[in-house]
Amino acid sequence: MLMRLLLALPLLYMPNMLHFSVETGIPGLNLANIIFIVVVGALLMAGRRHAPLEPRGYLTPALLLLFAALTIAFVIAQATMPRDFMEDFTYLKNLIFYPLLYFVYRRCGQDEKGTRQLIIFVMIVAAIAGLEAIREGLDYGFGNYNESRRASGPFGVDYSTANRAGVFYAMFLPMFIAMALFFRKQKFWRLAAIGGCATMVVAIMATYSRQSYLIALVAFALLLVRRNVVLAVAIAVLMVPAIGLLPESVTQRVAETEQQDSVGEEQLDVSTASRFEIWGGAMQMWTEHPIGVGLNRFKQHIGNYVPRYAGYDAHSIYFLMLAECGPLGLLALLFLLWRVLWMGVRFTRSVPASDAEGKALSLGFILLAISTALGNVYGSPFFEGAVMANFWALCGLMEHYFALKRRARVPGAGPAPGTATGRLPAPAMQGIGTRFPLAARMAPRRYGKDED
């Protein structure tokens, strides 16, 4: 129980780190790093009890490739445009740090119940973050749209981080939708999931993030089709007249994507058009620097190609990786996203149709992966710790959870090593089992099984 509480601490802290900002006084080391070190130390001291169930994580090769690409880009930056080394090194450390949570939580050592509780806690933390955005939205009011009155929840202090907040809510929305659709007999959790859906939807509206609106609709549509095609069509028909019930500010924000100029011709709004110009500049940057300009150098170079947007972010993780890390970085990123998606597919295939909980979690995770990929097309929150930390932790928890389920279905497998009820017999006891096979048959957990 104590270990479970310790594992819950990073899940609570990471999305809310801006609320608990503490200076450690040590360059490159923050409170998130310290919490991580404490948790890792506790797991290592626990020994084999918290060993991962699978010898190698499904995402391990992809993550290592990404880390290698980032490190190479860091070296390129130091060689071609040296700046503050400690600042660049801290930047590299932060990019690598948050995905490490995947390795921590895949070896959490919890049994099925404990792992389920940690997954639920991830969802509760997401819902609480959504409530904070709703409170901000209510304070601002849902009247006419105003760029400076967009909710950002725990992810920032002003509207500049509203898009990142919207992506976070859109990422976790499919998990709630899947639970609401597939938890037929678990009424309490189904009602809780419906409440979570409502919270995430209103929070997304409060951020006025148009890409998040689209991501949420795509996830909802795909899950509905998976659940029941007839139901999906019926809800789609009902949603058309329901658009008029949305707050006026939301419809205004969506309508801003295309505007009319002085002669009545349709044109993209400034926010959308600027992204296309920056992306064009990123492509020119890559053609002149085929292996990339180096880590954390995009803002210094973009002004050479699009002077009016000098110092701007790429507004897309894909163009950012291509420009800074070259094709290797982009391929590493795409390979990682593919592995995350395929891991969810493997989860779905590994559970029987009668397992509503397993189906809901696995399908929700697939849409979580898709939403994460889509959320980085129009922005670049992929390496933002507050947005992505719990995503990586959830990847590890889901891998551990479904590994437990697979072991439980194997005849005679017994409890998984590393869980509370699955400790391996001591070597001395195994020796007794070898000398006295009958004792091993009568008490296999105590003496170990004989070899026949």
Side-chain angles (χ1 to χ4, degrees):
M1 184 63 180
L2 182 61
M3 181 62 74
R4 198 174 307 164
L5 292 174
L6 187 60
L7 288 166
L9 180 59
L11 303 178
L12 177 63
Y13 174 76
M14 297 298 180
N16 297 285
M17 63 176 70
L18 290 181
H19 291 328
F20 306 99
S21 180
V22 177
E23 293 294 334
T24 63
I26 304 174
L29 186 70
N30 55 34
L31 184 57
N33 302 148
I34 294 174
I35 293 174
F36 177 85
I37 292 170
V38 171
V39 173
V40 170
L43 291 174
L44 292 177
M45 286 190 294
R48 296 188 64 183
R49 176 181 169 82
H50 290 274
L53 297 181
E54 303 290 343
R56 188 178 69 175
Y58 191 73
L59 301 184
T60 299
L63 282 170
L64 293 179
L65 178 62
L66 180 64
F67 295 162
L70 293 173
T71 304
I72 292 171
F74 170 78
V75 173
I76 292 172
Q78 301 309 307
T80 59
M81 186 185 284
R83 293 172 56 208
D84 186 331
F85 178 83
M86 194 62 198
E87 179 183 339
D88 287 339
F89 183 77
T90 302
Y91 183 81
L92 172 65
K93 183 266 294 182
N94 289 335
L95 298 190
I96 294 175
F97 171 68
Y98 294 102
L100 295 179
L101 290 170
Y102 161 73
F103 298 103
V104 172
Y105 284 89
R106 68 178 296 267
R107 62 172 298 157
C108 63
Q110 300 297 304
D111 58 12
E112 190 172 322
K113 178 182 178 182
T115 308
R116 184 188 302 111
Q117 289 175 349
L118 288 173
I119 293 172
I120 292 172
F121 188 69
V122 170
M123 307 308 297
I124 292 173
V125 171
I128 293 173
L131 290 174
E132 185 170 342
I134 293 173
R135 182 189 60 78
E136 291 180 17
L138 292 174
D139 290 343
Y140 290 146
F142 286 93
N144 292 327
Y145 169 69
N146 186 322
E147 174 70 19
S148 64
R149 299 172 74 84
R150 300 171 61 190
S152 57
F155 305 100
V157 295
D158 57 28
Y159 68 94
S160 62
T161 53
N163 284 335
R164 281 168 164 70
V167 169
F168 177 86
Y169 302 136
M171 282 166 51
F172 284 95
L173 175 62
M175 296 291 290
F176 288 107
I177 296 176
M179 293 178 187
L181 289 175
F182 292 92
F183 280 14
R184 303 177 187 178
K185 298 180 180 179
Q186 298 166 281
K187 293 184 178 179
F188 172 79
W189 290 113
R190 193 172 199 178
L191 288 174
I194 292 172
C197 290
T199 301
M200 293 291 103
V201 168
V202 179
I204 291 171
M205 288 195 295
T207 65
Y208 296 103
S209 171
R210 289 170 294 189
Q211 67 167 342
S212 301
Y213 295 166
L214 176 62
I215 294 168
L217 287 174
V218 169
F220 185 51
L222 290 175
L223 281 171
L224 273 180
V225 170
R226 177 64 176 80
R227 175 68 176 81
N228 190 306
V229 176
V230 176
L231 178 63
V233 173
I235 292 180
V237 171
L238 292 174
M239 285 178 66
V240 174
I243 294 176
L245 302 177
L246 292 173
E248 184 179 354
S249 55
V250 174
T251 56
Q252 284 178 352
R253 175 60 170 159
V254 175
E256 279 188 356
T257 304
E258 285 193 351
Q259 301 172 343
Q260 290 186 341
D261 60 15
S262 57
V263 295
E265 293 185 358
E266 295 289 340
Q267 61 180 7
L268 295 172
D269 71 307
V270 176
S271 173
T272 305
S274 66
R275 282 172 165 81
F276 290 130
E277 292 185 49
I278 292 172
W279 295 347
M283 292 302 296
Q284 294 178 42
M285 191 185 305
W286 171 63
T287 56
E288 293 188 11
H289 303 84
I291 61 173
V293 296
L295 198 67
N296 199 23
R297 296 295 185 267
F298 182 89
K299 293 181 180 180
Q300 283 70 44
H301 283 273
I302 189 61
N304 299 332
Y305 307 95
V306 192
R308 62 188 293 195
Y309 297 117
Y312 272 54
D313 180 67
H315 292 296
S316 172
I317 193 63
Y318 306 106
F319 286 98
L320 179 64
M321 290 296 290
L322 179 64
E324 290 193 346
C325 305
L328 175 62
L330 179 59
L331 289 174
L333 176 64
L334 293 175
F335 179 52
L336 175 58
L337 291 172
W338 170 253
R339 294 286 285 188
V340 174
L341 175 63
W342 196 248
M343 185 168 70
V345 173
R346 291 173 71 240
F347 293 159
T348 303
R349 292 178 175 178
S350 68
V351 295
S354 58
D355 186 353
E357 179 183 298
K359 283 295 181 185
L361 291 176
S362 59
L363 288 172
F365 185 80
I366 290 174
L367 269 297
L368 171 69
I370 293 173
S371 299
T372 301
L374 293 176
N376 284 276
V377 171
Y378 211 58
S380 50
F382 189 80
F383 293 109
E384 290 285 338
V387 176
M388 293 295 296
N390 279 16
F391 168 82
W392 296 116
L394 185 61
C395 287
L397 287 171
M398 293 286 283
E399 183 174 306
H400 181 75
Y401 176 77
F402 283 96
L404 288 171
K405 279 187 169 291
R406 285 194 298 271
R407 283 177 177 265
R409 290 195 302 273
V410 176
T419 61
T421 58
R423 299 180 184 176
L424 293 173
M429 294 299 184
Q430 290 178 327
I432 294 175
T434 303
R435 293 172 58 191
F436 303 99
L438 184 58
R441 291 172 184 257
M442 294 175 62
R445 294 185 188 177
R446 182 174 179 83
Y447 299 114
K449 295 183 179 180
D450 60 325
E451 298 178 354
D452 331 6

PDB file of all heavy atoms in Angstrom, residues 369-390:
ATOM      1  N   ALA A 369      -3.658   7.054 -28.047  1.00  0.00           N
ATOM      2  CA  ALA A 369      -2.464   7.127 -28.900  1.00  0.00           C
ATOM      3  C   ALA A 369      -2.735   7.962 -30.147  1.00  0.00           C
ATOM      4  O   ALA A 369      -1.910   8.803 -30.541  1.00  0.00           O
ATOM      5  CB  ALA A 369      -2.015   5.721 -29.286  1.00  0.00           C
ATOM      6  N   ILE A 370      -3.888   7.736 -30.772  1.00  0.00           N
ATOM      7  CA  ILE A 370      -4.236   8.504 -31.974  1.00  0.00           C
ATOM      8  C   ILE A 370      -4.396   9.982 -31.634  1.00  0.00           C
ATOM      9  O   ILE A 370      -3.928  10.866 -32.373  1.00  0.00           O
ATOM     10  CB  ILE A 370      -5.527   7.946 -32.599  1.00  0.00           C
ATOM     11  CG1 ILE A 370      -5.285   6.529 -33.144  1.00  0.00           C
ATOM     12  CG2 ILE A 370      -6.040   8.856 -33.711  1.00  0.00           C
ATOM     13  CD1 ILE A 370      -6.531   5.830 -33.637  1.00  0.00           C
ATOM     14  N   SER A 371      -5.050  10.269 -30.516  1.00  0.00           N
ATOM     15  CA  SER A 371      -5.256  11.663 -30.105  1.00  0.00           C
ATOM     16  C   SER A 371      -3.929  12.350 -29.814  1.00  0.00           C
ATOM     17  O   SER A 371      -3.748  13.534 -30.126  1.00  0.00           O
ATOM     18  CB  SER A 371      -6.155  11.715 -28.865  1.00  0.00           C
ATOM     19  OG  SER A 371      -7.428  11.161 -29.135  1.00  0.00           O
ATOM     20  N   THR A 372      -2.990  11.623 -29.235  1.00  0.00           N
ATOM     21  CA  THR A 372      -1.668  12.188 -28.961  1.00  0.00           C
ATOM     22  C   THR A 372      -0.964  12.553 -30.262  1.00  0.00           C
ATOM     23  O   THR A 372      -0.356  13.630 -30.382  1.00  0.00           O
ATOM     24  CB  THR A 372      -0.814  11.191 -28.166  1.00  0.00           C
ATOM     25  OG1 THR A 372      -1.489  10.880 -26.941  1.00  0.00           O
ATOM     26  CG2 THR A 372       0.556  11.762 -27.859  1.00  0.00           C
ATOM     27  N   ALA A 373      -1.036  11.662 -31.247  1.00  0.00           N
ATOM     28  CA  ALA A 373      -0.411  11.937 -32.538  1.00  0.00           C
ATOM     29  C   ALA A 373      -1.060  13.144 -33.216  1.00  0.00           C
ATOM     30  O   ALA A 373      -0.366  14.026 -33.742  1.00  0.00           O
ATOM     31  CB  ALA A 373      -0.511  10.703 -33.436  1.00  0.00           C
ATOM     32  N   LEU A 374      -2.388  13.219 -33.186  1.00  0.00           N
ATOM     33  CA  LEU A 374      -3.088  14.344 -33.801  1.00  0.00           C
ATOM     34  C   LEU A 374      -2.829  15.647 -33.053  1.00  0.00           C
ATOM     35  O   LEU A 374      -2.743  16.722 -33.661  1.00  0.00           O
ATOM     36  CB  LEU A 374      -4.597  14.059 -33.840  1.00  0.00           C
ATOM     37  CG  LEU A 374      -5.064  12.927 -34.758  1.00  0.00           C
ATOM     38  CD1 LEU A 374      -6.564  12.713 -34.615  1.00  0.00           C
ATOM     39  CD2 LEU A 374      -4.709  13.236 -36.205  1.00  0.00           C
ATOM     40  N   GLY A 375      -2.705  15.560 -31.736  1.00  0.00           N
ATOM     41  CA  GLY A 375      -2.491  16.758 -30.935  1.00  0.00           C
ATOM     42  C   GLY A 375      -1.161  17.428 -31.177  1.00  0.00           C
ATOM     43  O   GLY A 375      -0.957  18.574 -30.781  1.00  0.00           O
ATOM     44  N   ASN A 376      -0.243  16.721 -31.837  1.00  0.00           N
ATOM     45  CA  ASN A 376       1.066  17.294 -32.128  1.00  0.00           C
ATOM     46  C   ASN A 376       1.229  17.710 -33.582  1.00  0.00           C
ATOM     47  O   ASN A 376       2.323  18.102 -33.991  1.00  0.00           O
ATOM     48  CB  ASN A 376       2.159  16.295 -31.745  1.00  0.00           C
ATOM     49  CG  ASN A 376       2.393  16.232 -30.255  1.00  0.00           C
ATOM     50  OD1 ASN A 376       3.131  17.030 -29.688  1.00  0.00           O
ATOM     51  ND2 ASN A 376       1.720  15.297 -29.587  1.00  0.00           N
ATOM     52  N   VAL A 377       0.149  17.631 -34.359  1.00  0.00           N
ATOM     53  CA  VAL A 377       0.190  18.107 -35.741  1.00  0.00           C
ATOM     54  C   VAL A 377       0.170  19.628 -35.763  1.00  0.00           C
ATOM     55  O   VAL A 377       0.930  20.276 -36.484  1.00  0.00           O
ATOM     56  CB  VAL A 377      -1.003  17.545 -36.544  1.00  0.00           C
ATOM     57  CG1 VAL A 377      -1.089  18.211 -37.919  1.00  0.00           C
ATOM     58  CG2 VAL A 377      -0.875  16.047 -36.696  1.00  0.00           C
ATOM     59  N   TYR A 378      -0.688  20.218 -34.960  1.00  0.00           N
ATOM     60  CA  TYR A 378      -0.928  21.663 -34.969  1.00  0.00           C
ATOM     61  C   TYR A 378      -0.242  22.356 -33.789  1.00  0.00           C
ATOM     62  O   TYR A 378      -0.451  23.531 -33.539  1.00  0.00           O
ATOM     63  CB  TYR A 378      -2.438  21.902 -34.919  1.00  0.00           C
ATOM     64  CG  TYR A 378      -2.912  23.142 -35.625  1.00  0.00           C
ATOM     65  CD1 TYR A 378      -2.656  23.341 -36.974  1.00  0.00           C
ATOM     66  CD2 TYR A 378      -3.636  24.121 -34.941  1.00  0.00           C
ATOM     67  CE1 TYR A 378      -3.109  24.473 -37.626  1.00  0.00           C
ATOM     68  CE2 TYR A 378      -4.090  25.255 -35.581  1.00  0.00           C
ATOM     69  CZ  TYR A 378      -3.827  25.434 -36.921  1.00  0.00           C
ATOM     70  OH  TYR A 378      -4.269  26.571 -37.560  1.00  0.00           O
ATOM     71  N   GLY A 379       0.551  21.613 -33.041  1.00  0.00           N
ATOM     72  CA  GLY A 379       1.281  22.139 -31.895  1.00  0.00           C
ATOM     73  C   GLY A 379       2.428  21.205 -31.572  1.00  0.00           C
ATOM     74  O   GLY A 379       2.630  20.187 -32.240  1.00  0.00           O
ATOM     75  N   SER A 380       3.184  21.527 -30.527  1.00  0.00           N
ATOM     76  CA  SER A 380       4.336  20.681 -30.190  1.00  0.00           C
ATOM     77  C   SER A 380       4.442  20.437 -28.686  1.00  0.00           C
ATOM     78  O   SER A 380       5.472  20.743 -28.076  1.00  0.00           O
ATOM     79  CB  SER A 380       5.629  21.328 -30.706  1.00  0.00           C
ATOM     80  OG  SER A 380       5.712  22.684 -30.298  1.00  0.00           O
ATOM     81  N   PRO A 381       3.388  19.867 -28.076  1.00  0.00           N
ATOM     82  CA  PRO A 381       3.459  19.582 -26.634  1.00  0.00           C
ATOM     83  C   PRO A 381       4.058  18.216 -26.304  1.00  0.00           C
ATOM     84  O   PRO A 381       4.007  17.791 -25.154  1.00  0.00           O
ATOM     85  CB  PRO A 381       1.984  19.635 -26.212  1.00  0.00           C
ATOM     86  CG  PRO A 381       1.255  19.112 -27.409  1.00  0.00           C
ATOM     87  CD  PRO A 381       2.047  19.602 -28.615  1.00  0.00           C
ATOM     88  N   PHE A 382       4.634  17.527 -27.297  1.00  0.00           N
ATOM     89  CA  PHE A 382       5.059  16.145 -27.103  1.00  0.00           C
ATOM     90  C   PHE A 382       6.084  16.004 -25.983  1.00  0.00           C
ATOM     91  O   PHE A 382       6.123  14.986 -25.303  1.00  0.00           O
ATOM     92  CB  PHE A 382       5.636  15.585 -28.410  1.00  0.00           C
ATOM     93  CG  PHE A 382       5.896  14.112 -28.375  1.00  0.00           C
ATOM     94  CD1 PHE A 382       4.862  13.209 -28.565  1.00  0.00           C
ATOM     95  CD2 PHE A 382       7.175  13.610 -28.150  1.00  0.00           C
ATOM     96  CE1 PHE A 382       5.083  11.833 -28.534  1.00  0.00           C
ATOM     97  CE2 PHE A 382       7.415  12.251 -28.120  1.00  0.00           C
ATOM     98  CZ  PHE A 382       6.368  11.362 -28.305  1.00  0.00           C
ATOM     99  N   PHE A 383       6.922  17.006 -25.805  1.00  0.00           N
ATOM    100  CA  PHE A 383       7.954  16.933 -24.771  1.00  0.00           C
ATOM    101  C   PHE A 383       7.628  17.798 -23.560  1.00  0.00           C
ATOM    102  O   PHE A 383       8.494  18.010 -22.708  1.00  0.00           O
ATOM    103  CB  PHE A 383       9.311  17.339 -25.356  1.00  0.00           C
ATOM    104  CG  PHE A 383       9.843  16.379 -26.386  1.00  0.00           C
ATOM    105  CD1 PHE A 383       9.888  16.735 -27.722  1.00  0.00           C
ATOM    106  CD2 PHE A 383      10.288  15.123 -26.022  1.00  0.00           C
ATOM    107  CE1 PHE A 383      10.383  15.848 -28.680  1.00  0.00           C
ATOM    108  CE2 PHE A 383      10.777  14.227 -26.970  1.00  0.00           C
ATOM    109  CZ  PHE A 383      10.827  14.594 -28.297  1.00  0.00           C
ATOM    110  N   GLU A 384       6.391  18.300 -23.493  1.00  0.00           N
ATOM    111  CA  GLU A 384       5.969  19.086 -22.335  1.00  0.00           C
ATOM    112  C   GLU A 384       5.636  18.146 -21.185  1.00  0.00           C
ATOM    113  O   GLU A 384       4.712  17.332 -21.288  1.00  0.00           O
ATOM    114  CB  GLU A 384       4.749  19.937 -22.693  1.00  0.00           C
ATOM    115  CG  GLU A 384       5.045  21.078 -23.656  1.00  0.00           C
ATOM    116  CD  GLU A 384       5.772  22.221 -22.984  1.00  0.00           C
ATOM    117  OE1 GLU A 384       5.688  22.340 -21.753  1.00  0.00           O
ATOM    118  OE2 GLU A 384       6.442  22.989 -23.704  1.00  0.00           O
ATOM    119  N   GLY A 385       6.362  18.259 -20.092  1.00  0.00           N
ATOM    120  CA  GLY A 385       6.185  17.323 -18.985  1.00  0.00           C
ATOM    121  C   GLY A 385       4.796  17.336 -18.387  1.00  0.00           C
ATOM    122  O   GLY A 385       4.211  16.278 -18.116  1.00  0.00           O
ATOM    123  N   ALA A 386       4.227  18.528 -18.172  1.00  0.00           N
ATOM    124  CA  ALA A 386       2.904  18.606 -17.551  1.00  0.00           C
ATOM    125  C   ALA A 386       1.844  17.934 -18.406  1.00  0.00           C
ATOM    126  O   ALA A 386       0.889  17.340 -17.883  1.00  0.00           O
ATOM    127  CB  ALA A 386       2.534  20.072 -17.298  1.00  0.00           C
ATOM    128  N   VAL A 387       1.996  18.008 -19.724  1.00  0.00           N
ATOM    129  CA  VAL A 387       1.005  17.437 -20.645  1.00  0.00           C
ATOM    130  C   VAL A 387       1.230  15.936 -20.839  1.00  0.00           C
ATOM    131  O   VAL A 387       0.283  15.152 -20.861  1.00  0.00           O
ATOM    132  CB  VAL A 387       1.054  18.162 -22.008  1.00  0.00           C
ATOM    133  CG1 VAL A 387       0.086  17.517 -23.005  1.00  0.00           C
ATOM    134  CG2 VAL A 387       0.716  19.636 -21.833  1.00  0.00           C
ATOM    135  N   MET A 388       2.503  15.517 -20.960  1.00  0.00           N
ATOM    136  CA  MET A 388       2.803  14.160 -21.413  1.00  0.00           C
ATOM    137  C   MET A 388       3.256  13.203 -20.320  1.00  0.00           C
ATOM    138  O   MET A 388       3.303  11.990 -20.551  1.00  0.00           O
ATOM    139  CB  MET A 388       3.881  14.224 -22.496  1.00  0.00           C
ATOM    140  CG  MET A 388       3.429  14.884 -23.780  1.00  0.00           C
ATOM    141  SD  MET A 388       2.126  13.973 -24.633  1.00  0.00           S
ATOM    142  CE  MET A 388       2.982  12.458 -25.034  1.00  0.00           C
ATOM    143  N   ALA A 389       3.597  13.683 -19.139  1.00  0.00           N
ATOM    144  CA  ALA A 389       4.148  12.793 -18.111  1.00  0.00           C
ATOM    145  C   ALA A 389       3.191  11.649 -17.786  1.00  0.00           C
ATOM    146  O   ALA A 389       3.589  10.475 -17.742  1.00  0.00           O
ATOM    147  CB  ALA A 389       4.473  13.590 -16.848  1.00  0.00           C
ATOM    148  N   ASN A 390       1.929  11.969 -17.547  1.00  0.00           N
ATOM    149  CA  ASN A 390       0.974  10.911 -17.194  1.00  0.00           C
ATOM    150  C   ASN A 390       0.646  10.004 -18.374  1.00  0.00           C
ATOM    151  O   ASN A 390       0.219   8.865 -18.188  1.00  0.00           O
ATOM    152  CB  ASN A 390      -0.301  11.525 -16.622  1.00  0.00           C
ATOM    153  CG  ASN A 390      -0.134  11.893 -15.152  1.00  0.00           C
ATOM    154  OD1 ASN A 390       0.981  11.962 -14.643  1.00  0.00           O
ATOM    155  ND2 ASN A 390      -1.226  12.131 -14.463  1.00  0.00           N
TER     156      ASN A 390
END
